[in-house]
Amino acid sequence: MKHKEMVYLTPMPVRIWHWLNAFGIVTLCITGLQIRFPDYISVFGAYKAAIRLHNTAGAVVSVSYMLWLMYYLVVAKSLMKLYMPTLDDLKTGIFRQAFFYFLTYFLGKPNPHHSTPDSKFNPMQKATYLVIMFILLPLVIFTGVLLMYIAPLRELLLLLGGIKMLIGTHFLLSCCFTAFLFVHIYLATLGHTPLAHFKPMWNGWEEEEIDDGSEKTR
Amino acid sequence: MRDFTWKTVLFLAFFMMMTISARAAAPGNERCMNCHGHMDIKGPAGMKIYIDPVKFAATTHAIVGCTSCHDRVSKGHPGDRYNPPRAACGDCHKPVFDEYAKSLHASKAGCTGCHNPHEVRLPLFVSGDDINRKCARCHDTRKTIQSHSTWLPQADLHIDSLPCITCHTGSRDYVIIMSIESRLPGSRNDFKISSYDELAALAQAADVSRVIDLNNDKLISLAELRDFNHQLRGRNMRLWGMMVPETVTHSYQILDNRWDCSFCHASGPKAAQKSFIAFPEKNGGYTRLVVEKGAILDILYGTPDFYMLGTTRSTPLNIIGALIVAAGLSFPVCHGFFRFLTRKNRKENNHEA
Ligand code: HEM
């Protein structure tokens, strides 16, 4: 017999971070597009307005990234547990999960992973979020800061190979984020209802389908 | 080849200037330069009456001759305390004079505020840096950066990469001029244009363009440029680009459309096709060598430090970026398609879609 249970998955600071971040990244992608292709795209009117907005959104994303990092490192102390794939995850977990997404999902089999506050992410999520949050996001913030202060940070710029190297990296990273967004949002609709994964990102509580009757609801 | 014609015209012009001024310098000049061409000449306190012979010889004014501008130099000069008159620039440069008189700067500075009549040069033979140094005599660069940064993002960078006259006169036909710069000793961020002597030592030749133009064809190919940029990294040098007008006007004004960044930043990749490298000459001027078309747009090592937002983006990079985005988009599309086809399976096993 299946029944539904409520699990408190996503604490308030993480939710605040996530939506600041999501809003920030989407703004960055669109303004960035205008900044690179001003002769084709003019969503925010004046070029200067797009630059100002891009810089502001960049600051918002950087600050909220700090919030996220501090929360997980200092307050919740669960960063490694949640985000670091275990050896098992790497050896079999990822493949099991990929097998689910690409095959058994279509056959109607259940998701092999169940979210609990201690193990929120399936192995594929862990690996992706790890790359995004520990490599791509810091890199895009770093290159962005350098590009915001080219003249004062010239020394560092030259050391890293010049403006074009940074612009190129920044641009390709932003493309990766855009690609990630499509996949991320889509995968988030694969819960037992299309909105099931969105709700905990909004109010913290996830509705879980549990097979046996053990009482976990708080 | 269009570049070739360009190069030829440029060089003919330059050599004509050089030879004309060397041969046809007005005969009276030497007499005056016997005294005024020596560093140790002393004039009235505070007046610089030394005239740099090398710089003067490079001007067209050397052909005009000292006495055309300072006529009636007395026999007893300099002992008789009679001060020779000075011609007004407007006498010979009527069109420029009239244009300048109408500009908002006419009341702020005379011609000699910006030009030393004994060191004038055509715009072709000056660097963008030289032009800004003219303005910096009266307009403190730091203050200018401060006042412009209230509305201009990264004003410091802009003023490093643009002569003031790009925004404050109707000057037109912009090209990218690159100069080789050396780091100032003891400084981290400050560079100055490498001197002729520095480059001659590097090139081990009198023709300093050999530092980049290895095959000496007076044309900088993309390959030569890339090579040079690779070498620069270890040498405390860089190649610095500025957007400089080829046609200089004296219509000083505050142009409204320069408020709007898209005047430069949305001009599209076509705008930045023409570029030159300016090599210093012994006489303080510059020779420009044409750079292969498209160098500015090269993905990385053509001009690693010159990038104009919105204008010099690289097409290959755009394509790679588009492929990444397309790969991301294809996942939801394909997966969603099969998800839709197999929706029944999940209905049967589960109770929701
Ligand atoms: C409009 C844009 C976005 C939407 C609609 C969205 C939606 C969601 C949803 C529904 C979840 C919960 C499901 C899950 O855990 O996978 C989630 C979690 C997450 N998202 Fe997003 N997202 C967006 C943008 C982003 C961006 C731009 C990033 C990173 C650069 C990001 C990083 C994450 C991370 C790391 C988690 C896990 C958070 C945690 O619980 O610690 N998201 N997102």
Side-chain angles (χ1 to χ4, degrees), chain A residues 18 21-22 72 83 120-121 125 129 181 184 188 197-198 201:
Chain A
H18 183 267
N21 185 57
Y72 269 130
Y83 280 82
K120 234 188 336 189
F121 308 135
Q125 277 174 312
Y129 291 157
L181 262 181
H184 181 61
H197 289 330
F198 287 90
M201 282 322 277

Side-chain angles (χ1 to χ4, degrees), chain B residues 29-42:
Chain B
N29 291 355
E30 246 165 71
R31 191 160 56 91
C32 317
M33 287 308 260
N34 277 339
C35 292
H36 287 282
H38 288 284
M39 280 266 230
D40 45 4
I41 187 171
K42 284 230 162 51

Side-chain angles (χ1 to χ4, degrees), chain B residues 279-310:
Chain B
F279 294 99
E281 289 287 325
K282 263 195 245 161
N283 63 22
Y286 292 85
T287 325
R288 291 181 185 176
L289 285 200
V290 175
V291 176
E292 188 178 328
K293 215 171 136 193
I296 297 289
L297 304 180
D298 186 44
I299 187 161
L300 204 55
Y301 279 109
T303 56
D305 286 321
F306 187 88
Y307 185 82
M308 261 172 85
L309 229 46

Side-chain angles (χ1 to χ4, degrees), chain A residues 9-11 14-15 17-26 29 61 65 68 71-72 79 82-83 101 115 120-122 125 128-130 132-133 136-137 177-178 180-182 184-189 194-202 206:
Chain A
L9 262 191
T10 321
V14 175
R15 280 177 278 148
W17 158 75
H18 183 267
W19 293 113
L20 272 180
N21 185 57
F23 189 67
I25 298 263
V26 170
C29 286
V61 166
Y65 179 71
W68 173 86
Y71 173 77
Y72 269 130
L79 191 66
L82 291 184
Y83 280 82
Y101 280 139
S115 297
K120 234 188 336 189
F121 308 135
N122 69 47
Q125 277 174 312
T128 318
Y129 291 157
L130 190 76
I132 295 276
M133 297 306 292
L136 301 192
L137 201 53
F177 275 105
T178 313
F180 164 75
L181 262 181
F182 291 132
H184 181 61
I185 299 176
Y186 175 77
L187 282 180
T189 65
L195 283 182
H197 289 330
F198 287 90
K199 280 179 198 146
M201 282 322 277
W202 188 249
E206 164 122 322

Side-chain angles (χ1 to χ4, degrees), chain B residues 49-71:
Chain B
I49 60 170
Y50 165 68
I51 289 167
D52 187 328
V54 180
K55 287 187 179 160
F56 181 69
T59 67
T60 319
H61 283 175
I63 306 171
V64 172
C66 310
T67 46
S68 307
C69 293
H70 304 287
D71 58 346

